[in-house]
Amino acid sequence: MNELDTIYKAHLALKEKKISSFELTSEHLKVAKENKNNSFVSVLEDAALEESKIKDEEISKTGAKSFLHGIPYNLKDLFITKNIRTTAGSKILYNYIPPYDGATSLNLKKSGAVLVGKVGCDEFGMGSSNENTIFGPVQHPLNKDFLPGGSSGGSAVSVLEGASLFSIGTDTGGSVRLPANFCGLVGFKPTYGRVSRFGQIAYGSSLDQAAPFAKTPLDIAMIMDHLSTNDELDSTQAPIGNMNSAKKILENKENSLNMTVGYDPSMIDACREDVKENLQASIKDLKSKGVKFKEITLPHLKYSIAVYYVIATSEASSNLARFDGIHYGLSVRESADLEETYKASRSIGFGDEVKRRVLLGTFCLSSGYADEYYKTACKVRRLIYNDFQNAFKECDYIYSPVCATTAFEKNKISTPLEMYMNDLYTIPVNLAGLPSIALPYGKSSMNQMPTGFQLIANSFKDEELLLDSHKIFEVLK
Amino acid sequence: MSFEINKELVNHIAALARLNINETEILEYENNFKSIVKYIDQLKEIDVKDVEAFTNPLVENIHFYEENISKTRKERDDVVHKSLEVKDVIRNAPDSKNNEFKLQAVIENS
């Protein structure tokens, strides 16, 4: 069973009738139900087993229709799923059962994959540690005193512990790449507009993207080929059709790493000693395999966190205005005053970090401060975007740390601002709308936790990035 | 800073955001805000006089992919699609009557 630890291996075994989807799903459900690390919010045992039997029939009749056919997976509880409770990790949506499927859920239904459950996350995706949730923090499977990172912590842990072969999280400022990095997995944030956001509970609309977790870049490609379907219900999706990256990777015969990778040495120097050691080793390793490295500068990236916390919170304050205690979700009606119902429902329904971000965003957009904060941040965002565009004139990809540290221990970070700093290296990518993949490389000499790096490509180079990441992943193995 | 973050400002923002916050929270948010706003004030050191605001990456990146799609792409056709069933939507309503959302009186009886 354990040797079928990737989508591709499981797919081949299903095709060769060495295992059934029912058996594969049952094994993963067992781990999900045990829920040792608190990664699952809902386990859909009966529905998943039923589905897996249907997939087995389909596969025996007509063969596997896709790489995901019969493969067990889960979704971050931020994706709308028809008739399946969707909480966003929030008290305000604790009992919310959506009447429709979002694009992510629908695309994966069509792929033939089997949904085993919904997994935990920071409330509305707001957090870097997976501690801001009514369901309690998700534990790191490698060490129970450590956190897996957030906000898509449940997704990362569910794949690492063997409760699913893949998971879809959301990446607004690094919420997929950070936990992937902390858990030694592969996490991929697509170009902004490459996947539909329809039915993904919104946090920062100009930053959010659905983003997969898996164990290899090839598995990520197999997932992305299904997520990249055109969706006329999202006007911010580029209507350029599905990617076909898995086939390209499997048919590729050219394995040389003929590419130029830009990097800013000061970003690596700023990392903690154990992380720095491994980053430098990975560069040396890649150079020895033929990758050309070139020094670049990205002078405005140091403003990324400031820009992000103005823009993301402004967008959040607007997006979360929909929670009113009237249409759906928690309603606290203690007075005859409608205004009081709004206030009481939101105050009791939202957690501390969500309130903090809604308040900060409201402030940044409020009359008198909008020019000073929101507009200035939007302008600096362009300078960050321009830095990347200038860099891509000299290189194919940009190499960067994912985080200056490894996974951290519980209750180690005390102030909001200190927590926000974890996303220093992931946030610029979301601000510029670029695709980026977090790849694992080595373990820390300090605490034995996983380390890794990210490779960033220019917009809509998602397929090229996945193909080259696959080659890199294979030679670094 | 051209203004002061104090209790009154936090209360004003909370009212705009339709949130009730108690005395302890006001103090906590006031302190959080002071350090966060001090941090984001670094943006003011950058000269952005001639820089245009960047609002959505797709708008900026359109030249990367537009050759792949029809240049004559229009808005989608104005065709009526089937909507969700009212009873399915209302199922999540905290209070409803005759398939409509029920809320407190907005206009008082005269």
Side-chain angles (χ1 to χ4, degrees), chain A residues 99-234:
Chain A
Y100 68 102
D101 267 318
T104 308
S105 169
L106 212 55
N107 282 334
L108 291 169
K109 268 186 185 174
K110 285 182 191 157
S111 78
V114 178
L115 181 66
V116 301
K118 303 289 292 288
V119 291
C121 57
D122 281 303
E123 188 176 359
F124 291 102
M126 299 181 189
S128 310
S129 65
N130 219 123
E131 290 170 296
N132 310 324
T133 152
I134 35 157
F135 297 102
V138 177
Q139 277 181 190
H140 202 301
L142 301 178
N143 184 334
K144 65 175 173 40
D145 297 327
F146 282 70
L147 294 161
S151 67
S152 311
S155 293
V157 170
S158 69
V159 175
L160 183 58
E161 69 189 356
S164 286
L165 281 170
F166 71 96
S167 177
I168 314 296
T170 64
D171 194 314
T172 304
S175 286
V176 163
R177 286 162 289 148
L178 189 79
N181 181 248
F182 284 2
C183 292
L185 297 167
V186 182
F188 178 69
K189 186 204 94 72
T191 302
Y192 181 88
R194 199 63 190 85
V195 298
S196 170
R197 291 185 297 109
F198 174 67
Q200 175 183 329
I201 297 174
Y203 160 23
S205 301
S206 77
L207 304 153
D208 294 342
Q209 283 289 274
F213 286 90
K215 296 214 180 77
T216 68
L218 174 60
D219 279 7
I220 295 280
M222 291 173 175
I223 304 161
M224 277 307 298
D225 291 350
H226 290 277
L227 292 187
S228 50
T229 306
N230 284 358
D231 184 6
E232 62 176 21
L233 298 176
D234 177 4

Side-chain angles (χ1 to χ4, degrees), chain A residues 97 341 347 356 372 382, chain B residues 20 32 44 52 92 104:
Chain A
I97 298 174
T341 296
S347 303
R356 182 158 32 245
E372 209 170 336
R382 178 174 303 282
Chain B
N20 290 327
N32 289 164
K44 292 179 185 163
E52 218 184 303
N92 278 295
Q104 292 103 317

Side-chain angles (χ1 to χ4, degrees), chain A residues 147-354:
Chain A
L147 294 161
S151 67
S152 311
S155 293
V157 170
S158 69
V159 175
L160 183 58
E161 69 189 356
S164 286
L165 281 170
F166 71 96
S167 177
I168 314 296
T170 64
D171 194 314
T172 304
S175 286
V176 163
R177 286 162 289 148
L178 189 79
N181 181 248
F182 284 2
C183 292
L185 297 167
V186 182
F188 178 69
K189 186 204 94 72
T191 302
Y192 181 88
R194 199 63 190 85
V195 298
S196 170
R197 291 185 297 109
F198 174 67
Q200 175 183 329
I201 297 174
Y203 160 23
S205 301
S206 77
L207 304 153
D208 294 342
Q209 283 289 274
F213 286 90
K215 296 214 180 77
T216 68
L218 174 60
D219 279 7
I220 295 280
M222 291 173 175
I223 304 161
M224 277 307 298
D225 291 350
H226 290 277
L227 292 187
S228 50
T229 306
N230 284 358
D231 184 6
E232 62 176 21
L233 298 176
D234 177 4
S235 64
T236 61
Q237 193 203 16
I240 51 176
N242 284 54
M243 287 165 53
N244 190 16
S245 48
K247 193 163 169 268
K248 283 179 190 161
I249 290 176
L250 291 169
E251 287 174 359
N252 172 61
K253 298 274 184 286
E254 173 55 54
N255 284 318
S256 77
L257 299 181
N258 184 19
M259 59 185 89
T260 305
V261 173
Y263 77 117
D264 181 341
S266 71
M267 288 165 80
I268 296 162
D269 290 340
C271 292
R272 203 173 65 193
E273 207 50 48
D274 56 329
V275 174
K276 195 160 79 180
E277 272 169 31
N278 290 3
L279 289 170
Q280 282 162 345
S282 73
I283 293 177
K284 205 175 151 201
D285 214 350
L286 286 167
K287 278 183 179 167
S288 76
K289 302 291 191 307
V291 176
K292 287 184 280 300
F293 274 83
K294 187 172 180 160
E295 287 193 19
I296 53 162
T297 54
L298 301 156
H300 296 94
L301 258 60
K302 60 179 179 212
Y303 300 111
S304 296
I305 291 188
V307 171
Y308 177 83
Y309 278 94
V310 174
I311 291 175
T313 60
S314 294
E315 293 182 1
S317 77
S318 165
N319 276 324
L320 269 59
R322 61 171 61 91
F323 298 99
D324 58 2
I326 304 295
H327 295 91
Y328 49 88
L330 180 80
S331 183
V332 182
R333 301 187 185 191
E334 286 165 347
S335 104
D337 183 6
L338 180 63
E339 187 88 8
E340 263 316 305
T341 296
Y342 296 154
K343 288 184 177 172
S345 305
R346 291 164 61 80
S347 303
I348 293 171
F350 292 151
D352 282 349
E353 184 59 29
V354 172

